[in-house]
Amino acid sequence: MDLRHIENIIKDSESDSAQKKETIISTLQTKCHDDTAIDSGSALQLFLDHITINSIPGIRNSSVLELYSEDCLKEAIKLLYEKNVFGAPITDALEEEPKPELEKFLDRYIGFIDFATMVLWSIEERDKLDPEIKHEVCEGINTNGIFSMLEKIPSIGKTKVGELAKSFLWDPFFPVHLNDTLFQVLLLLSKHQLQVVPVTEGSNVIGFVTKIAIVELLLQSSGLDWFDRISDKALSEFRLENDGRLVYVYGDQTLAEALHCLRENKVDGVPVINRETKTLIGNVRVHDIHLLLDNEKFFRDRRNITVEEFIQSDTRKSELTTDSTLTQNLGGLLSAGALRLRNKFMPTMDSPVTNKKSDTLKQAMKTLVESKNNCSYLVDESRHFIGVVSLRDVIMQFAPPGIDSRIKGGGFFQSALEQSGCHLNNGSIVHDR
């Protein structure tokens, strides 16, 4: 049986995704009994290579906003804010001289940047000018005043989006195509610090695959032995990315300190702790940064307002969608496609998403998907903050092996091999006789 025959079995199967995965495992087990071993990277890829990007809901649900490298930073922030878009791919200005389609595409997209990164960088630059100022003096009202203030800061008023690449504020641009598979996306998200993976059709970006969407897809395999053997383990059994390094702020610290903590540590969210009780009382996330522009007072008084005052001022409770059925049905549409700046499906800042170390990986995955959050805070029985489990932590457990197939992948691949009665030896799959 050769690799092409195995691929044909997958393509010809008319069963659901769960049955297809079982078919692949059975096929690999048969293959491992053959005398001729196939490359481990190629064999393991079969597990996820039948799930195409095109099958993810919401990829085409709206147009994609693009930024140019020559755009002024202030105008870029304003555009994303007004269009309600969290992030955008960056393009170079198109040259007048025509180029072949492939060359044109490769030269066109040069990175990805998000709204929160630009705002946090701008605030940091502003505070460097005069750290003693407690209140900003803004002309105008609401967001007009903020943009007016940003324009007066020399480093911001003259800075172009393209110049931020020197500060490593961009995500690299690693696209996938509609016919690519979950395997390619897992590989990219596990090997690189990416917020999203752009999806292209022809020479244009048509949507994005988010980490939430990937975890949601992985959960569809719940009930299968190979998946449950990994996901039913307690979180205490996994080595998480931020193990031993707790990043947090106290509720009585200033909002400016919390914003600095977000940017300095390059995290999706900062937990807020009560200084006296040491308990978790909230969190400030990159997805909450737009509130600084929704309410000028937060931006103007950020070095005077406490973090607890900020999280308690979250008035979105009445706007949030709490219908679990609706959330479940729209999950795919909210997880991919357009990147919304304001997300009515996320909990308020004073309701942080939590798990315990005794919870399973599967429970954490469900918590993250249902809340549309990028991370869940680990707490003990007394609600003391003890760690973080992020979407990337989850994805790493299902990570494919590297280009060098002698390097083992995540728990999913190792479990699948063990279940098939095989192991890796010098880059090849060998049956355990």
Side-chain angles (χ1 to χ4, degrees):
M1 181 182 296
D2 60 17
L3 187 58
R4 183 174 301 176
H5 181 59
I6 298 176
E7 291 174 343
N8 289 336
I9 290 177
I10 299 169
K11 292 178 181 178
D12 293 341
S13 174
E14 296 180 356
S15 57
D16 59 26
S17 59
Q19 291 173 317
K20 285 182 180 180
K21 288 171 186 145
E22 291 288 20
T23 299
I24 301 169
I25 290 176
S26 175
T27 302
L28 179 57
Q29 186 171 6
T30 301
K31 178 59 189 170
C32 286
H33 284 81
D34 292 347
D35 293 332
T36 304
I38 60 175
D39 174 76
S40 62
S42 299
L44 295 175
Q45 183 175 340
L46 296 176
F47 286 100
L48 298 173
D49 249 0
H50 70 292
I51 304 176
T52 62
I53 304 302
N54 201 29
S55 66
I56 301 177
I59 290 296
R60 300 175 178 272
N61 68 343
S62 69
S63 59
V64 174
L65 181 66
E66 297 180 357
L67 294 176
Y68 289 98
S69 59
E70 294 298 308
D71 286 342
C72 171
L73 181 61
K74 187 203 74 165
E75 293 302 324
I77 294 174
K78 186 174 182 180
L79 180 63
L80 292 183
Y81 180 80
E82 292 176 346
K83 297 294 184 180
N84 191 29
V85 175
F86 181 76
I90 307 167
T91 69
D92 260 340
L94 296 179
E95 299 181 6
E96 296 182 0
E97 183 179 348
K99 294 182 177 180
E101 281 300 313
L102 178 60
E103 185 179 347
K104 178 180 177 182
F105 171 73
L106 293 176
D107 289 345
R108 182 179 180 191
Y109 294 104
I110 55 179
F112 177 91
I113 198 166
D114 65 86
F115 172 85
T117 293
M118 291 190 289
V119 172
L120 290 173
W121 184 86
S122 299
I123 291 175
E124 196 86 356
E125 290 298 302
R126 173 64 189 93
D127 290 347
K128 288 178 183 178
L129 292 180
D130 195 344
E132 300 302 320
I133 295 179
K134 289 293 182 181
H135 301 270
E136 297 285 0
V137 179
C138 298
E139 297 179 2
I141 58 174
N142 298 326
T143 58
N144 289 331
I146 294 174
F147 292 126
S148 175
M149 188 72 247
L150 292 177
E151 191 171 33
K152 294 179 181 179
I153 305 171
S155 59
I156 296 173
K158 297 179 181 179
T159 299
K160 296 180 179 180
V161 172
E163 296 175 28
L164 296 186
K166 301 174 183 178
S167 304
F168 301 100
L169 297 178
W170 289 1
D171 279 359
F173 188 81
F174 294 138
V176 293
H177 304 286
L178 284 172
N179 292 328
D180 286 335
T181 64
L182 183 57
F183 182 91
Q184 283 98 329
V185 176
L186 276 173
L187 185 61
L188 288 171
L189 291 176
S190 63
K191 304 304 177 187
H192 304 281
Q193 290 281 1
L194 303 175
Q195 297 188 69
V196 297
V197 176
V199 180
T200 60
E201 185 175 39
S203 59
N204 297 311
V205 173
I206 61 169
F208 305 93
V209 180
T210 64
K211 286 177 280 193
I212 279 280
I214 294 302
V215 174
E216 196 166 16
L217 277 175
L218 288 171
L219 275 173
Q220 293 179 12
S221 295
S222 180
L224 291 180
D225 185 58
W226 63 260
F227 179 81
D228 290 347
R229 286 177 65 181
I230 298 302
S231 62
D232 284 344
K233 290 182 180 180
L235 292 172
S236 58
E237 297 186 47
F238 295 95
R239 182 178 180 180
L240 306 177
E241 195 171 17
N242 292 312
D243 276 352
R245 189 176 71 91
L246 298 183
V247 176
Y248 59 89
V249 294
Y250 288 115
D252 57 10
Q253 290 183 257
T254 66
L255 174 57
E257 289 176 299
L259 298 177
H260 175 76
C261 188
L262 266 179
R263 180 174 184 270
E264 182 73 13
N265 294 282
K266 299 180 180 179
V267 290
D268 293 319
V270 176
V272 182
I273 310 298
N274 181 287
R275 190 182 291 272
E276 295 181 357
T277 65
K278 308 302 180 184
T279 56
L280 179 69
I281 60 175
N283 64 149
V284 179
R285 303 157 297 201
V286 291
H287 283 278
D288 301 315
I289 298 301
H290 70 87
L291 296 174
L292 297 174
L293 278 70
D294 291 346
N295 188 332
E296 181 184 336
K297 178 179 173 60
F298 294 143
F299 177 86
R300 187 184 63 233
D301 298 339
R302 63 190 177 278
R303 285 180 285 187
N304 190 43
I305 295 175
T306 67
V307 183
E308 186 166 5
E309 288 173 335
F310 180 60
I311 64 175
Q312 292 295 334
S313 69
D314 197 337
T315 59
R316 296 174 294 166
K317 292 184 178 67
S318 60
E319 303 175 3
L320 298 178
T321 300
T322 57
D323 187 332
S324 59
T325 303
L326 179 61
T327 303
Q328 183 177 6
N329 292 337
L330 292 180
L333 295 177
L334 294 170
S335 298
L339 301 179
R340 292 173 177 81
L341 184 61
R342 302 166 186 86
N343 190 337
K344 294 184 179 181
F345 287 80
M346 293 183 72
T348 52
M349 291 186 289
D350 59 354
S351 302
V353 177
T354 62
N355 280 103
K356 296 178 181 177
K357 280 205 168 184
S358 58
D359 290 344
T360 65
L361 179 65
K362 187 186 297 182
Q363 287 175 310
M365 293 170 71
K366 290 180 178 179
T367 298
L368 290 167
V369 167
E370 290 171 0
S371 66
K372 306 304 173 192
N373 255 46
N374 288 333
C375 63
S376 175
Y377 301 112
L378 299 177
V379 295
D380 62 17
E381 297 297 333
S382 300
R383 203 173 170 77
H384 294 143
F385 169 60
I386 58 176
V388 180
V389 55
S390 67
L391 289 173
R392 190 166 190 270
D393 284 322
V394 172
I395 289 172
M396 288 296 291
Q397 309 311 317
F398 302 89
I403 296 176
D404 183 349
S405 57
R406 291 169 296 181
I407 300 175
K408 295 181 180 179
F412 158 64
F413 290 94
Q414 187 64 25
S415 174
L417 282 176
E418 292 172 356
Q419 184 175 337
S420 302
C422 305
H423 71 276
L424 292 178
N425 184 21
N426 294 326
S428 297
I429 296 179
V430 178
H431 176 63
D432 297 324
R433 298 184 185 278

